[in-house]
Amino acid sequence: MPLGSKTKAYETPNHPFQGERIASEHDLVGRYGLKNKEELWRAQSELRSYRREARALLGRAQGDAEVAAQRGDEFLARLKRIGVLDEEDSLDDILSLEINDVLERRLQTVAYRKGLANTPEQARQFIVHGHVVVGDARVTRPSYKVDVDEEAHVDFDETSPLADELHPERAEEQ
């Protein structure tokens, strides 16, 4: 694909006016503090691509089992590294993943769950405004996928006013 060409990173629903789907999407957008449904559709497309790759690898296992096993192990390792799968999960478990598994790995959700913000929306604002770091790197993308080993290193930037425990916008300790 040439540089500069734009393609959408998501697919819109085939039937745009289904009340039940719209209600469930609205619930997910609210629960995870997403900006709009486009972000949800991106996550759904990501999940679809995981399932598509898993099906292809399971199908290849019928042919060249050695190559399929190596690619399958690499794919599983990648999904385990970002925390979508648990250590004991296999290729078959990818097919049973839910959208929540993907949304839980977003930096916005991780920062909220760690107690850096009172709401997912506030976590999003802190990230976009540059108050949150992952390790030593400032990350300003709420959709950033947090690896399992990076999760412990998600915190406020030490130069941020929010690093002060007494800042009025800081989350109250539970």
Side-chain angles (χ1 to χ4, degrees):
M1 184 181 322
L3 290 174
S5 67
K6 292 205 167 227
T7 57
K8 288 198 310 189
Y10 62 93
E11 298 172 21
T12 56
N14 292 333
H15 303 285
F17 303 111
Q18 293 173 325
E20 188 176 312
R21 183 192 48 74
I22 291 171
S24 70
E25 284 178 350
H26 184 70
D27 176 53
L28 286 169
V29 167
R31 187 171 350 138
Y32 288 99
L34 304 178
K35 180 179 173 187
N36 50 36
K37 287 188 182 175
E38 181 181 317
E39 289 192 332
L40 178 63
W41 295 338
R42 284 179 200 271
Q44 288 171 336
S45 292
E46 183 180 343
L47 180 60
R48 263 194 303 276
S49 73
Y50 292 159
R51 289 180 179 158
R52 189 177 302 122
E53 191 168 343
R55 281 194 304 272
L57 288 169
L58 287 168
R60 271 197 208 121
Q62 315 306 334
D64 191 359
E66 252 180 65
V67 174
Q70 180 186 359
R71 288 187 180 157
D73 291 343
E74 291 168 359
F75 181 54
L76 282 172
R78 183 175 49 145
L79 292 181
K80 289 174 184 177
R81 188 183 72 239
I82 63 172
V84 173
L85 289 178
D86 294 328
E87 284 302 318
E88 64 277 352
D89 288 343
S90 66
L91 272 176
D92 293 329
D93 296 317
I94 296 171
L95 301 176
S96 63
L97 286 176
E98 296 291 326
I99 189 66
N100 297 351
D101 299 320
V102 175
L103 292 173
E104 285 290 332
R105 300 312 307 162
R106 290 169 47 96
L107 177 59
Q108 176 179 355
T109 307
V110 170
Y112 171 64
R113 299 267 189 254
K114 280 192 76 168
L116 297 181
N118 293 316
T119 63
E121 291 82 6
Q122 188 181 44
R124 177 184 196 86
Q125 183 181 28
F126 289 168
I127 293 164
V128 169
H129 289 203
H131 295 293
V132 176
V133 294
V134 179
D136 294 333
R138 179 177 297 183
V139 180
T140 58
R141 269 188 15 242
S143 62
Y144 175 81
K145 296 285 179 277
V146 179
D147 288 355
V148 173
D149 56 341
E150 290 178 331
E151 194 169 349
H153 304 291
V154 174
D155 207 356
F156 286 116
D157 186 3
E158 59 191 31
T159 62
S160 167
L162 291 166
D164 179 14
E165 298 278 335
L166 301 175
H167 194 281
E169 289 299 317
R170 286 288 295 263
E172 290 88 34
E173 297 298 319
Q174 278 87 4

